[in-house]
């Protein structure tokens, strides 16, 4: 339980080349973190003072200030909601058919814990993910600390703030559950961000919009 609290409410930080999720308490000046790959295997919780830093502090920022329905389930999301093999194969085929010769620059919308990266649909150094759930982004960073960029916000807010430009990314992915819905105008705006293809997976259905 303590490990889940740390990874739900903490923030990424660097220990030289390693990325950890640190839970800080400004009142005491202390921070806590774990180093086990799986929270269920946690056998040790580390503690240090907040003023002790090691290496360049360039870890992704995951704090959004937005509460979502996924926050409480983030630390168990991958185990409780595994991606079905048929859907995984369909997504890989969609990317292979549209990626081109070189690994594409990819924007992963509603990226959650990083399923596009888990499936090898994108490389971390050519990947940008956007999601409003801080705990879900924390899980992504734990698995893929080398991601190029994360945006801790909703796609609607990002579009309103003009964070992206038309055709900025070669491939744009949106992989969501059945109960996640987006307005038609949002989907249209998302499609405009891709120069090659917008790959939209909702539930078990995958739709590819090529440019």
């Amino acid at each position: 339980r303590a490990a889940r609290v740390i990874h739900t409410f903490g923030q990424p930080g660097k220990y030289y080349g390693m990325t950890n999720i640190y839970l800080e308490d400004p009142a005491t000046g202390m921070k806590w973190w774990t180093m086990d790959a799986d929270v269920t295997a946690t056998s040790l919780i580390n503690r240090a003072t907040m003023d002790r830093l090691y290496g360049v502090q360039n870890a992704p920022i995951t704090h959004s200030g937005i509460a979502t329905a996924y926050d409480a389930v983030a630390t168990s999301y991958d185990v409780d909601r595994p991606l079905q093999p048929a859907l995984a194969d369909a997504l890989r085929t969609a990317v292979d058919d549209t990626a081109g010769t070189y690994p594409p620059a990819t924007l992963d919308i509603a990226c959650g814990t990083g399923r596009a990266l888990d499936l090898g649909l994108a490389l971390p150094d050519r990947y940008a993910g956007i999601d409003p759930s801080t705990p879900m982004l924390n899980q992504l960073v734990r698995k893929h600390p080398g991601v190029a960029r994360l945006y801790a916000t909703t796609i609607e807010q990002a579009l309103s703030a003009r964070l992206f430009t038309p055709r900025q990314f070669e491939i744009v992915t949106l992989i969501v559950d059945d109960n996640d819905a987006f307005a038609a105008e949002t989907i249209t705006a998302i499609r405009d961000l891709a120069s090659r293809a917008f790959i939209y997976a909702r539930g078990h259905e995958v739709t590819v919009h090529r440019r």
Side-chain angles (χ1 to χ4, degrees), residues 139-211:
Q139 296 306 306
L140 185 155
V141 173
R142 293 187 71 216
K143 294 185 294 180
H144 307 283
V147 293
R149 182 66 188 270
L150 292 179
Y151 298 88
T153 186
T154 67
I155 184 58
E156 292 84 358
Q157 290 178 342
L159 292 170
S160 178
R162 298 185 179 180
L163 294 184
F164 310 122
T165 60
R167 302 196 175 197
Q168 180 175 345
F169 301 90
E170 291 165 289
I171 289 179
V172 174
T173 58
L174 177 58
I175 307 169
V176 295
D177 296 331
D178 281 318
N179 58 335
D180 293 318
F182 295 83
E185 58 269 24
T186 300
I187 294 295
T188 299
I190 290 172
R191 291 175 60 178
D192 290 342
L193 302 178
S195 64
R196 289 186 183 172
F198 166 46
I199 299 171
Y200 182 22
R202 185 181 179 195
H204 300 288
E205 183 179 351
V206 177
T207 304
V208 180
H209 302 273
R210 292 179 174 83
R211 298 296 296 262

Side-chain angles (χ1 to χ4, degrees), residues 8 10-11 61-68 71 130-138 151-154 157:
T8 297
Q11 276 288 289
I61 296 172
T62 62
H63 179 69
S64 69
I66 302 171
T68 80
D71 295 353
I130 178 170
D131 198 284
S133 173
T134 294
M136 294 286 274
L137 291 177
N138 283 346
Y151 298 88
T153 186
T154 67
Q157 290 178 342

Side-chain angles (χ1 to χ4, degrees), residues 31-91:
K31 61 183 177 183
W32 296 265
W33 71 100
T34 68
M35 300 178 68
D36 300 281
D38 189 338
V39 294
T40 62
T42 301
S43 59
L44 176 67
I45 294 176
N46 302 286
R47 185 180 73 165
T49 57
M50 290 170 54
D51 59 352
R52 297 296 297 271
L53 302 174
Y54 299 88
V56 178
Q57 296 303 303
N58 59 353
I61 296 172
T62 62
H63 179 69
S64 69
I66 302 171
T68 80
Y70 290 97
D71 295 353
V73 299
T75 57
S76 60
Y77 184 85
D78 289 343
V79 174
D80 294 341
R81 306 186 190 185
L83 202 62
Q84 297 302 311
L87 178 58
D89 290 342
L91 287 167

